[in-house]
Amino acid sequence: MAEKARTQISIRNLKKAYGDFTVLHGIDLDIAEGEVVCVVGPSGSGKSTLIRCINRLEGFSEESSIEIDGLPVKRGPELAQVRAEVGMVFQNFNLFPHMSVVRNVMLAPMRVRGTSAEKARSHALALLKRVGISEQAEKYPAQLSGGQQQRVAIARALAMEPRVMLFDEPTSALDPEMVGEVLDVMRDLAGTGVTMIIVTHEMGFARQVADRVIFMDGGRVVEAGTPAAIFDSPQEARTRDFLRAVLNH
């Protein structure tokens, strides 16, 4: 029997509120090293808030705890260390418009890790080749399609050689014909052993690449399991209702 992968991300009693409105209701979740987890659910269910709490782009309640590789995700000197190991890809690319594509990818390793410009450039070009846009290296983000920009954003996140990759609905801002090229890059990445947590509304993609699918609603984890368990035989009525609505759309 294969050895059980160690827990890389541990989330305990995760609570988040904006004033009187509670977004996350005490979530407990463990994610194993190398696991690919897709988080699905209706808009407003807390999916993006959950993923943004993992590297503390969103604050959370004092009684909550998140650890990555044993390091607590909390304010203080450890936070920069944690964030250096966690890559994040957003809906809207967030590229620096005044920098070329290759400079966008080079920047973080040079600033955060002290990598030389020569080494950072070589690594950036290799990553741009890996995501299929090496020929765009000297262009600026505005000269690229949305799908190309999102692939640059993935390359930029990978440039820090993160142990964990977080994706917050990375295809939701793209035209439909550009979605496939980004999902292809993510599909390839899922086979490399990096831990991935993906908030997505692409159900076919979740079924294909996830080791585990988590269904959220109302700030809670309603159900979690293998793609086959969630998509073919969901146990919870709320999960069944959601999947019936999105898969028959």
Side-chain angles (χ1 to χ4, degrees), residues 113-170:
R113 300 211 193 277
T115 306
S116 70
E118 185 181 7
K119 189 174 179 184
R121 182 178 175 82
S122 174
H123 188 212
L125 290 172
L127 287 169
L128 291 171
K129 183 175 182 180
R130 180 174 167 187
V131 301
I133 49 170
S134 54
E135 75 283 356
Q136 311 293 344
E138 301 303 335
K139 289 185 179 177
Y140 287 83
Q143 296 174 283
L144 273 55
S145 70
Q148 289 171 329
Q149 289 186 61
Q150 193 60 294
R151 285 189 278 165
V152 175
I154 293 171
R156 181 181 60 181
L158 290 173
M160 288 291 286
E161 299 182 334
R163 297 179 192 173
V164 175
M165 284 284 285
L166 307 176
F167 294 86
D168 186 7
E169 300 208 27

Short mmCIF file of all heavy atoms in Angstrom, two decimals, residues 113-170:
data_model
loop_
_atom_site.label_atom_id
_atom_site.label_comp_id
_atom_site.label_asym_id
_atom_site.label_seq_id
_atom_site.Cartn_x
_atom_site.Cartn_y
_atom_site.Cartn_z
N ARG A 113 14.14 36.61 -3.68
CA ARG A 113 15.17 35.59 -3.45
C ARG A 113 16.59 36.07 -3.76
O ARG A 113 17.55 35.35 -3.54
CB ARG A 113 14.86 34.33 -4.27
CG ARG A 113 13.53 33.67 -3.95
CD ARG A 113 13.62 32.18 -4.17
NE ARG A 113 12.33 31.51 -4.18
CZ ARG A 113 11.67 31.14 -3.08
NH1 ARG A 113 12.15 31.40 -1.89
NH2 ARG A 113 10.50 30.52 -3.19
N GLY A 114 16.70 37.29 -4.31
CA GLY A 114 18.02 37.80 -4.63
C GLY A 114 18.68 37.12 -5.82
O GLY A 114 19.91 37.12 -5.97
N THR A 115 17.86 36.53 -6.70
CA THR A 115 18.37 35.86 -7.90
C THR A 115 18.99 36.90 -8.84
O THR A 115 18.45 38.00 -8.99
CB THR A 115 17.23 35.11 -8.61
OG1 THR A 115 16.59 34.24 -7.66
CG2 THR A 115 17.73 34.29 -9.78
N SER A 116 20.09 36.54 -9.47
CA SER A 116 20.72 37.47 -10.42
C SER A 116 19.82 37.65 -11.63
O SER A 116 19.01 36.78 -11.97
CB SER A 116 22.07 36.92 -10.88
OG SER A 116 21.88 35.77 -11.71
N ALA A 117 19.96 38.80 -12.31
CA ALA A 117 19.13 39.11 -13.48
C ALA A 117 19.33 38.05 -14.56
O ALA A 117 18.37 37.61 -15.20
CB ALA A 117 19.46 40.50 -14.02
N GLU A 118 20.56 37.62 -14.75
CA GLU A 118 20.86 36.63 -15.79
C GLU A 118 20.15 35.30 -15.51
O GLU A 118 19.52 34.71 -16.39
CB GLU A 118 22.38 36.42 -15.88
CG GLU A 118 22.80 35.49 -17.01
CD GLU A 118 24.32 35.29 -17.05
OE1 GLU A 118 25.01 35.76 -16.14
OE2 GLU A 118 24.78 34.65 -18.01
N LYS A 119 20.28 34.85 -14.27
CA LYS A 119 19.64 33.58 -13.90
C LYS A 119 18.12 33.70 -13.93
O LYS A 119 17.42 32.78 -14.40
CB LYS A 119 20.12 33.16 -12.51
CG LYS A 119 19.70 31.76 -12.11
CD LYS A 119 20.33 31.34 -10.80
CE LYS A 119 19.87 29.95 -10.40
NZ LYS A 119 20.39 29.55 -9.08
N ALA A 120 17.59 34.83 -13.44
CA ALA A 120 16.14 35.04 -13.43
C ALA A 120 15.59 35.06 -14.85
O ALA A 120 14.52 34.51 -15.12
CB ALA A 120 15.80 36.33 -12.70
N ARG A 121 16.32 35.70 -15.76
CA ARG A 121 15.86 35.76 -17.15
C ARG A 121 15.85 34.38 -17.80
O ARG A 121 14.89 34.00 -18.48
CB ARG A 121 16.75 36.72 -17.96
CG ARG A 121 16.30 36.86 -19.41
CD ARG A 121 17.15 37.85 -20.18
NE ARG A 121 16.76 37.87 -21.58
CZ ARG A 121 15.74 38.56 -22.08
NH1 ARG A 121 15.03 39.33 -21.27
NH2 ARG A 121 15.43 38.50 -23.35
N SER A 122 16.90 33.62 -17.57
CA SER A 122 16.99 32.28 -18.13
C SER A 122 15.83 31.41 -17.64
O SER A 122 15.18 30.70 -18.41
CB SER A 122 18.34 31.65 -17.75
OG SER A 122 18.39 30.32 -18.16
N HIS A 123 15.57 31.50 -16.33
CA HIS A 123 14.48 30.72 -15.74
C HIS A 123 13.13 31.21 -16.27
O HIS A 123 12.24 30.39 -16.58
CB HIS A 123 14.53 30.85 -14.21
CG HIS A 123 13.59 29.95 -13.49
ND1 HIS A 123 12.99 30.27 -12.29
CD2 HIS A 123 13.11 28.71 -13.80
CE1 HIS A 123 12.20 29.29 -11.91
NE2 HIS A 123 12.26 28.32 -12.80
N ALA A 124 12.96 32.53 -16.39
CA ALA A 124 11.71 33.09 -16.90
C ALA A 124 11.43 32.63 -18.32
O ALA A 124 10.29 32.25 -18.65
CB ALA A 124 11.75 34.62 -16.83
N LEU A 125 12.44 32.63 -19.15
CA LEU A 125 12.26 32.20 -20.54
C LEU A 125 11.89 30.71 -20.61
O LEU A 125 11.05 30.30 -21.43
CB LEU A 125 13.53 32.47 -21.35
CG LEU A 125 13.83 33.95 -21.61
CD1 LEU A 125 15.21 34.13 -22.23
CD2 LEU A 125 12.76 34.58 -22.51
N ALA A 126 12.49 29.91 -19.72
CA ALA A 126 12.15 28.48 -19.68
C ALA A 126 10.69 28.29 -19.26
O ALA A 126 9.98 27.43 -19.81
CB ALA A 126 13.09 27.75 -18.71
N LEU A 127 10.24 29.10 -18.30
CA LEU A 127 8.85 29.00 -17.85
C LEU A 127 7.87 29.47 -18.92
O LEU A 127 6.81 28.87 -19.10
CB LEU A 127 8.65 29.81 -16.56
CG LEU A 127 9.27 29.21 -15.31
CD1 LEU A 127 9.24 30.21 -14.17
CD2 LEU A 127 8.55 27.92 -14.90
N LEU A 128 8.23 30.54 -19.64
CA LEU A 128 7.36 31.01 -20.72
C LEU A 128 7.25 29.96 -21.83
O LEU A 128 6.19 29.77 -22.43
CB LEU A 128 7.88 32.34 -21.27
CG LEU A 128 7.74 33.53 -20.31
CD1 LEU A 128 8.48 34.75 -20.86
CD2 LEU A 128 6.26 33.86 -20.07
N LYS A 129 8.34 29.25 -22.05
CA LYS A 129 8.30 28.14 -23.02
C LYS A 129 7.38 27.03 -22.51
O LYS A 129 6.59 26.45 -23.26
CB LYS A 129 9.71 27.60 -23.25
CG LYS A 129 9.77 26.50 -24.30
CD LYS A 129 11.20 26.08 -24.59
CE LYS A 129 11.22 25.02 -25.69
NZ LYS A 129 12.61 24.57 -25.99
N ARG A 130 7.48 26.76 -21.21
CA ARG A 130 6.67 25.70 -20.61
C ARG A 130 5.18 25.99 -20.73
O ARG A 130 4.37 25.08 -20.93
CB ARG A 130 7.06 25.56 -19.14
CG ARG A 130 6.31 24.49 -18.37
CD ARG A 130 6.92 24.37 -16.99
NE ARG A 130 6.09 23.61 -16.09
CZ ARG A 130 6.34 23.46 -14.80
NH1 ARG A 130 7.39 24.04 -14.26
NH2 ARG A 130 5.54 22.75 -14.05
N VAL A 131 4.80 27.27 -20.61
CA VAL A 131 3.37 27.62 -20.73
C VAL A 131 2.98 28.00 -22.16
O VAL A 131 1.87 28.45 -22.41
CB VAL A 131 2.95 28.74 -19.73
CG1 VAL A 131 3.22 28.30 -18.31
CG2 VAL A 131 3.66 30.05 -20.03
N GLY A 132 3.92 27.82 -23.09
CA GLY A 132 3.59 27.92 -24.51
C GLY A 132 3.58 29.31 -25.10
O GLY A 132 2.97 29.53 -26.15
N ILE A 133 4.29 30.27 -24.48
CA ILE A 133 4.29 31.63 -25.03
C ILE A 133 5.68 32.26 -25.03
O ILE A 133 5.81 33.47 -24.82
CB ILE A 133 3.28 32.56 -24.29
CG1 ILE A 133 3.46 32.46 -22.78
CG2 ILE A 133 1.86 32.29 -24.70
CD1 ILE A 133 2.69 33.50 -22.03
N SER A 134 6.70 31.47 -25.28
CA SER A 134 8.06 32.01 -25.26
C SER A 134 8.26 33.11 -26.31
O SER A 134 9.06 34.03 -26.10
CB SER A 134 9.09 30.89 -25.46
OG SER A 134 8.80 30.16 -26.63
N GLU A 135 7.50 33.04 -27.39
CA GLU A 135 7.65 34.04 -28.46
C GLU A 135 7.09 35.41 -28.06
O GLU A 135 7.32 36.41 -28.75
CB GLU A 135 6.97 33.54 -29.75
CG GLU A 135 5.46 33.57 -29.77
CD GLU A 135 4.78 32.45 -28.97
OE1 GLU A 135 5.51 31.56 -28.44
OE2 GLU A 135 3.54 32.45 -28.90
N GLN A 136 6.37 35.47 -26.94
CA GLN A 136 5.78 36.74 -26.47
C GLN A 136 6.65 37.43 -25.43
O GLN A 136 6.24 38.45 -24.86
CB GLN A 136 4.39 36.48 -25.86
CG GLN A 136 3.46 35.64 -26.71
CD GLN A 136 3.02 36.33 -27.99
OE1 GLN A 136 3.17 37.53 -28.14
NE2 GLN A 136 2.50 35.56 -28.93
N ALA A 137 7.84 36.92 -25.16
CA ALA A 137 8.64 37.34 -24.00
C ALA A 137 8.88 38.85 -23.94
O ALA A 137 8.86 39.45 -22.86
CB ALA A 137 9.97 36.60 -23.98
N GLU A 138 9.13 39.50 -25.09
CA GLU A 138 9.49 40.92 -25.07
C GLU A 138 8.29 41.84 -25.27
O GLU A 138 8.43 43.07 -25.28
CB GLU A 138 10.55 41.20 -26.13
CG GLU A 138 11.84 40.39 -25.96
CD GLU A 138 12.51 40.59 -24.60
OE1 GLU A 138 12.31 41.65 -23.97
OE2 GLU A 138 13.23 39.67 -24.16
N LYS A 139 7.11 41.27 -25.42
CA LYS A 139 5.91 42.10 -25.57
C LYS A 139 5.45 42.59 -24.20
O LYS A 139 5.92 42.12 -23.15
CB LYS A 139 4.79 41.29 -26.23
CG LYS A 139 5.04 41.02 -27.71
CD LYS A 139 3.85 40.34 -28.34
CE LYS A 139 4.07 40.09 -29.83
NZ LYS A 139 2.93 39.35 -30.44
N TYR A 140 4.50 43.52 -24.21
CA TYR A 140 3.91 44.03 -22.97
C TYR A 140 2.54 43.39 -22.79
O TYR A 140 1.90 42.98 -23.78
CB TYR A 140 3.83 45.55 -23.02
CG TYR A 140 5.18 46.19 -22.85
CD1 TYR A 140 6.04 46.33 -23.95
CD2 TYR A 140 5.64 46.60 -21.60
CE1 TYR A 140 7.32 46.88 -23.80
CE2 TYR A 140 6.91 47.16 -21.44
CZ TYR A 140 7.74 47.29 -22.54
OH TYR A 140 8.99 47.81 -22.39
N PRO A 141 2.05 43.29 -21.55
CA PRO A 141 0.78 42.62 -21.31
C PRO A 141 -0.37 43.09 -22.21
O PRO A 141 -1.17 42.26 -22.67
CB PRO A 141 0.50 42.92 -19.83
CG PRO A 141 1.88 43.00 -19.22
CD PRO A 141 2.72 43.67 -20.29
N ALA A 142 -0.45 44.39 -22.47
CA ALA A 142 -1.56 44.91 -23.28
C ALA A 142 -1.55 44.38 -24.71
O ALA A 142 -2.57 44.45 -25.41
CB ALA A 142 -1.54 46.43 -23.30
N GLN A 143 -0.41 43.85 -25.15
CA GLN A 143 -0.31 43.31 -26.51
C GLN A 143 -0.74 41.84 -26.60
O GLN A 143 -0.75 41.27 -27.67
CB GLN A 143 1.14 43.44 -26.99
CG GLN A 143 1.62 44.88 -27.12
CD GLN A 143 3.10 44.96 -27.46
OE1 GLN A 143 3.97 44.77 -26.61
NE2 GLN A 143 3.39 45.21 -28.73
N LEU A 144 -1.08 41.26 -25.46
CA LEU A 144 -1.42 39.84 -25.40
C LEU A 144 -2.93 39.64 -25.23
O LEU A 144 -3.63 40.51 -24.72
CB LEU A 144 -0.70 39.18 -24.22
CG LEU A 144 0.71 38.64 -24.45
CD1 LEU A 144 1.65 39.69 -25.00
CD2 LEU A 144 1.26 38.05 -23.16
N SER A 145 -3.41 38.47 -25.64
CA SER A 145 -4.80 38.10 -25.38
C SER A 145 -4.96 37.79 -23.89
O SER A 145 -3.98 37.60 -23.16
CB SER A 145 -5.18 36.86 -26.19
OG SER A 145 -4.50 35.71 -25.67
N GLY A 146 -6.21 37.71 -23.44
CA GLY A 146 -6.46 37.37 -22.04
C GLY A 146 -5.89 36.02 -21.66
O GLY A 146 -5.29 35.86 -20.59
N GLY A 147 -6.03 35.04 -22.55
CA GLY A 147 -5.50 33.71 -22.27
C GLY A 147 -3.98 33.72 -22.16
O GLY A 147 -3.40 33.05 -21.29
N GLN A 148 -3.33 34.50 -23.03
CA GLN A 148 -1.87 34.62 -22.97
C GLN A 148 -1.44 35.32 -21.68
O GLN A 148 -0.47 34.91 -21.03
CB GLN A 148 -1.36 35.38 -24.18
CG GLN A 148 -1.45 34.59 -25.48
CD GLN A 148 -1.13 35.45 -26.69
OE1 GLN A 148 -1.38 36.67 -26.70
NE2 GLN A 148 -0.57 34.84 -27.73
N GLN A 149 -2.16 36.37 -21.29
CA GLN A 149 -1.83 37.07 -20.05
C GLN A 149 -1.96 36.14 -18.85
O GLN A 149 -1.13 36.18 -17.93
CB GLN A 149 -2.73 38.30 -19.87
CG GLN A 149 -2.43 39.43 -20.84
CD GLN A 149 -3.24 40.67 -20.52
OE1 GLN A 149 -3.13 41.22 -19.43
NE2 GLN A 149 -4.07 41.09 -21.45
N GLN A 150 -2.99 35.30 -18.84
CA GLN A 150 -3.15 34.40 -17.71
C GLN A 150 -2.04 33.36 -17.68
O GLN A 150 -1.58 32.97 -16.60
CB GLN A 150 -4.53 33.73 -17.75
CG GLN A 150 -4.93 33.01 -16.47
CD GLN A 150 -5.01 33.92 -15.27
OE1 GLN A 150 -3.99 34.46 -14.82
NE2 GLN A 150 -6.21 34.10 -14.72
N ARG A 151 -1.56 32.95 -18.84
CA ARG A 151 -0.43 32.01 -18.87
C ARG A 151 0.85 32.68 -18.37
O ARG A 151 1.67 32.05 -17.70
CB ARG A 151 -0.25 31.44 -20.28
CG ARG A 151 -1.30 30.40 -20.62
CD ARG A 151 -1.01 29.67 -21.90
NE ARG A 151 -1.44 30.42 -23.07
CZ ARG A 151 -1.06 30.15 -24.32
NH1 ARG A 151 -0.19 29.18 -24.55
NH2 ARG A 151 -1.53 30.86 -25.33
N VAL A 152 1.01 33.98 -18.66
CA VAL A 152 2.14 34.73 -18.08
C VAL A 152 2.01 34.76 -16.56
O VAL A 152 2.99 34.57 -15.83
CB VAL A 152 2.20 36.17 -18.63
CG1 VAL A 152 3.30 36.97 -17.91
CG2 VAL A 152 2.45 36.17 -20.14
N ALA A 153 0.78 34.98 -16.07
CA ALA A 153 0.55 35.03 -14.62
C ALA A 153 0.91 33.70 -13.96
O ALA A 153 1.47 33.66 -12.86
CB ALA A 153 -0.91 35.40 -14.34
N ILE A 154 0.61 32.60 -14.64
CA ILE A 154 0.98 31.28 -14.11
C ILE A 154 2.50 31.12 -14.10
O ILE A 154 3.09 30.66 -13.11
CB ILE A 154 0.30 30.16 -14.92
CG1 ILE A 154 -1.22 30.22 -14.71
CG2 ILE A 154 0.85 28.79 -14.53
CD1 ILE A 154 -2.02 29.30 -15.62
N ALA A 155 3.15 31.53 -15.19
CA ALA A 155 4.62 31.46 -15.25
C ALA A 155 5.23 32.31 -14.14
O ALA A 155 6.21 31.91 -13.50
CB ALA A 155 5.12 31.92 -16.62
N ARG A 156 4.66 33.49 -13.91
CA ARG A 156 5.18 34.38 -12.87
C ARG A 156 5.07 33.72 -11.49
O ARG A 156 5.99 33.80 -10.67
CB ARG A 156 4.41 35.70 -12.88
CG ARG A 156 4.92 36.70 -11.83
CD ARG A 156 4.15 37.99 -11.85
NE ARG A 156 2.72 37.78 -11.58
CZ ARG A 156 1.83 38.74 -11.56
NH1 ARG A 156 2.19 39.99 -11.82
NH2 ARG A 156 0.56 38.48 -11.30
N ALA A 157 3.94 33.07 -11.23
CA ALA A 157 3.77 32.39 -9.94
C ALA A 157 4.77 31.23 -9.81
O ALA A 157 5.34 31.00 -8.74
CB ALA A 157 2.34 31.88 -9.79
N LEU A 158 5.00 30.51 -10.90
CA LEU A 158 5.93 29.38 -10.88
C LEU A 158 7.39 29.82 -10.73
O LEU A 158 8.24 29.04 -10.29
CB LEU A 158 5.78 28.55 -12.16
CG LEU A 158 4.48 27.76 -12.31
CD1 LEU A 158 4.42 27.14 -13.70
CD2 LEU A 158 4.37 26.68 -11.24
N ALA A 159 7.68 31.06 -11.08
CA ALA A 159 9.07 31.55 -11.04
C ALA A 159 9.65 31.50 -9.63
O ALA A 159 10.87 31.40 -9.46
CB ALA A 159 9.14 32.98 -11.59
N MET A 160 8.80 31.56 -8.62
CA MET A 160 9.26 31.48 -7.24
C MET A 160 9.43 30.04 -6.77
O MET A 160 9.75 29.79 -5.61
CB MET A 160 8.28 32.22 -6.33
CG MET A 160 8.33 33.73 -6.48
SD MET A 160 9.86 34.41 -5.84
CE MET A 160 9.58 34.28 -4.08
N GLU A 161 9.19 29.08 -7.67
CA GLU A 161 9.28 27.65 -7.36
C GLU A 161 8.48 27.32 -6.09
O GLU A 161 9.00 26.77 -5.12
CB GLU A 161 10.75 27.22 -7.24
CG GLU A 161 11.51 27.46 -8.54
CD GLU A 161 12.96 27.01 -8.49
OE1 GLU A 161 13.54 26.98 -7.39
OE2 GLU A 161 13.50 26.70 -9.56
N PRO A 162 7.20 27.67 -6.11
CA PRO A 162 6.37 27.49 -4.91
C PRO A 162 6.09 26.03 -4.62
O PRO A 162 6.11 25.18 -5.51
CB PRO A 162 5.09 28.24 -5.27
CG PRO A 162 4.99 28.10 -6.75
CD PRO A 162 6.40 28.17 -7.25
N ARG A 163 5.81 25.75 -3.36
CA ARG A 163 5.40 24.40 -2.97
C ARG A 163 3.89 24.23 -3.11
O ARG A 163 3.39 23.11 -3.18
CB ARG A 163 5.81 24.14 -1.51
CG ARG A 163 7.30 24.16 -1.29
CD ARG A 163 7.60 23.94 0.18
NE ARG A 163 8.99 24.23 0.48
CZ ARG A 163 9.50 24.25 1.70
NH1 ARG A 163 8.72 24.02 2.73
NH2 ARG A 163 10.77 24.52 1.90
N VAL A 164 3.20 25.36 -3.09
CA VAL A 164 1.74 25.36 -3.18
C VAL A 164 1.32 26.39 -4.22
O VAL A 164 1.86 27.49 -4.25
CB VAL A 164 1.10 25.73 -1.81
CG1 VAL A 164 -0.42 25.84 -1.94
CG2 VAL A 164 1.49 24.73 -0.73
N MET A 165 0.35 26.03 -5.07
CA MET A 165 -0.21 26.97 -6.04
C MET A 165 -1.70 27.14 -5.77
O MET A 165 -2.44 26.16 -5.67
CB MET A 165 0.00 26.46 -7.47
CG MET A 165 1.42 26.61 -7.99
SD MET A 165 1.82 28.31 -8.47
CE MET A 165 0.93 28.48 -10.03
N LEU A 166 -2.12 28.39 -5.64
CA LEU A 166 -3.52 28.72 -5.43
C LEU A 166 -4.05 29.39 -6.69
O LEU A 166 -3.43 30.31 -7.23
CB LEU A 166 -3.66 29.68 -4.25
CG LEU A 166 -3.02 29.27 -2.92
CD1 LEU A 166 -3.17 30.39 -1.89
CD2 LEU A 166 -3.60 27.97 -2.40
N PHE A 167 -5.21 28.95 -7.15
CA PHE A 167 -5.84 29.53 -8.34
C PHE A 167 -7.24 29.99 -7.97
O PHE A 167 -8.07 29.19 -7.54
CB PHE A 167 -5.95 28.49 -9.46
CG PHE A 167 -4.64 28.01 -10.01
CD1 PHE A 167 -3.95 26.96 -9.40
CD2 PHE A 167 -4.09 28.59 -11.14
CE1 PHE A 167 -2.75 26.51 -9.91
CE2 PHE A 167 -2.89 28.14 -11.67
CZ PHE A 167 -2.21 27.09 -11.05
N ASP A 168 -7.51 31.29 -8.12
CA ASP A 168 -8.82 31.84 -7.79
C ASP A 168 -9.60 32.11 -9.07
O ASP A 168 -9.48 33.16 -9.69
CB ASP A 168 -8.66 33.13 -6.98
CG ASP A 168 -9.99 33.68 -6.48
OD1 ASP A 168 -11.01 32.98 -6.65
OD2 ASP A 168 -10.02 34.78 -5.93
N GLU A 169 -10.39 31.13 -9.49
CA GLU A 169 -11.18 31.21 -10.73
C GLU A 169 -10.36 31.78 -11.88
O GLU A 169 -10.72 32.82 -12.46
CB GLU A 169 -12.45 32.03 -10.48
CG GLU A 169 -13.31 31.41 -9.40
CD GLU A 169 -14.79 31.72 -9.55
OE1 GLU A 169 -15.23 31.96 -10.68
OE2 GLU A 169 -15.49 31.71 -8.53
N PRO A 170 -9.28 31.10 -12.26
CA PRO A 170 -8.33 31.67 -13.23
C PRO A 170 -8.88 31.82 -14.64
O PRO A 170 -8.27 32.51 -15.46
CB PRO A 170 -7.17 30.67 -13.21
CG PRO A 170 -7.79 29.39 -12.77
CD PRO A 170 -8.85 29.76 -11.79
#
